[in-house]
């Protein structure tokens, strides 16, 4: 799982700067603080579907 740090962001729990890491797990974006362990997740209703309704998909290739 690839995590990306959010430059200039401050943790809402411990107020530490540059400690928030963004990653995606099971299609849900999550942000965690590497300093205090605080975890935020994106609500399910805001998660964008992988397949858009106006497109036809024959198959998805994942190597």
């Amino acid at each position: 799982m690839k995590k990306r740090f959010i430059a200039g962001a401050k943790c809402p729990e411990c107020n530490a700067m540059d400690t928030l890491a963004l990653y995606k797990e099971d299609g849900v974006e999550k942000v965690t603080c590497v300093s205090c362990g605080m975890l935020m997740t994106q609500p399910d209703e805001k998660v964008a579907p992988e397949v858009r309704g106006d497109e036809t998909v024959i198959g998805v290739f994942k190597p």
Side-chain angles (χ1 to χ4, degrees):
M1 165 177 25
K2 189 175 187 179
K3 292 185 179 182
R4 297 180 184 178
F5 281 92
I6 305 169
K10 188 190 307 184
C11 175
E13 294 288 322
C14 68
N15 293 321
M17 284 290 283
D18 297 328
T19 59
L20 296 181
L22 172 70
Y23 62 98
K24 205 167 198 179
E25 186 176 86
D26 297 326
V28 177
E29 288 184 347
K30 297 184 178 187
V31 176
T32 186
C33 177
V34 296
S35 180
C36 72
M38 181 274 316
L39 177 68
M40 292 187 293
T41 59
Q42 182 182 33
D44 289 341
E45 64 270 4
K46 291 189 178 185
V47 176
E50 288 188 35
V51 179
R52 294 172 290 277
D54 60 340
E55 295 180 0
T56 304
V57 176
I58 296 172
V60 177
F61 176 73
K62 292 185 179 181

